[in-house]
Amino acid sequence: PPRSTLFPYTTLFRSLEYAARSLKADKEVVLAAVTNCGEVLELAASELQADKDVVLAAVKQTGSAFPYVNKTAAMWSDKDFVLPMVQLKGMALEYADETLKADKQLVLAAAEQDGRALKFALNGLNQDPDCLKAAGLFDDEADKTYARPEKATLSVKFSLAEQSTTYATEFAKGMKEDEFLRNFKT
């Protein structure tokens, strides 16, 4: 990329990289930095990597800031924090508190953003028709009758359980989105 597009990132990154610890722990300084370049969350003090305002600003600026978010912080039990997080990055549902993984509103939001997130849903929400529709894995009309007599069989077990692979989910969703393949019963 042209140097001009890298300038804000490298300037902010380096500025925070060489900043005193006190500045890396200053919420106002870090919030200003992540609002312009979410990846600098990596350099923030650990307590700010678990601060709701800082984390939301960083992930909102760029989803690539997500790896630097504290995934064990108490904020993951707060629905007001988790809901916008899963709307930005559906797979963030993995880190939500168990009670929130069973919250249909939250699971729907995560599934709409990334259908693979259903693997982290609890209390049967990973098989709920509304959640499956949100994930792009279920369509009432298409699943009642199929336009083609052929069937497709996945060689990898299709499962939305937490310990399963997302490959079959991604494949099934891809078939539903393809104009020709969506007419096959999978």
Side-chain angles (χ1 to χ4, degrees), residues 140-161:
D140 282 336
E141 296 306 311
D143 287 333
K144 288 180 184 171
T145 58
Y146 292 91
R148 302 190 57 86
E150 300 90 353
K151 294 181 182 179
T153 303
L154 300 175
S155 62
V156 176
K157 182 181 178 188
F158 177 71
S159 172
L160 292 170

Side-chain angles (χ1 to χ4, degrees), residues 128-142:
D128 179 85
D130 294 332
C131 294
L132 290 168
K133 286 177 197 173
L137 295 169
F138 181 73
D139 178 8
D140 282 336
E141 296 306 311

Side-chain angles (χ1 to χ4, degrees), residues 153-171:
T153 303
L154 300 175
S155 62
V156 176
K157 182 181 178 188
F158 177 71
S159 172
L160 292 170
E162 186 170 352
Q163 59 277 18
S164 68
T165 177
T166 60
Y167 177 77
T169 305
E170 292 166 10
F171 184 83

Side-chain angles (χ1 to χ4, degrees), residues 25-120:
D26 184 307
K27 183 175 178 175
E28 190 176 325
V29 169
V30 173
L31 192 56
V34 299
T35 300
N36 291 299
C37 179
E39 288 98 344
V40 300
L41 181 63
E42 175 184 10
L43 302 170
S46 60
E47 62 269 12
L48 292 178
Q49 292 174 340
D51 181 278
K52 295 175 192 179
D53 299 327
V54 173
V55 167
L56 280 172
V59 175
K60 188 178 229 176
Q61 198 282 322
T62 179
S64 60
F66 190 73
Y68 311 115
V69 174
N70 182 325
K71 315 273 188 327
T72 60
M75 63 189 173
W76 292 102
S77 61
D78 179 0
K79 184 176 178 177
D80 291 333
F81 167 77
V82 177
L83 182 58
M85 282 298 290
V86 299
Q87 289 171 330
L88 293 168
K89 187 144 181 91
M91 293 297 277
L93 184 62
E94 176 180 3
Y95 305 103
D97 183 74
E98 302 288 306
T99 58
L100 296 178
K101 290 180 181 183
D103 181 297
K104 188 169 181 175
Q105 178 192 14
L106 225 144
V107 171
L108 280 168
E112 285 173 2
Q113 202 288 318
D114 188 337
R116 299 173 304 159
L118 278 184
K119 72 183 267 173
F120 303 111

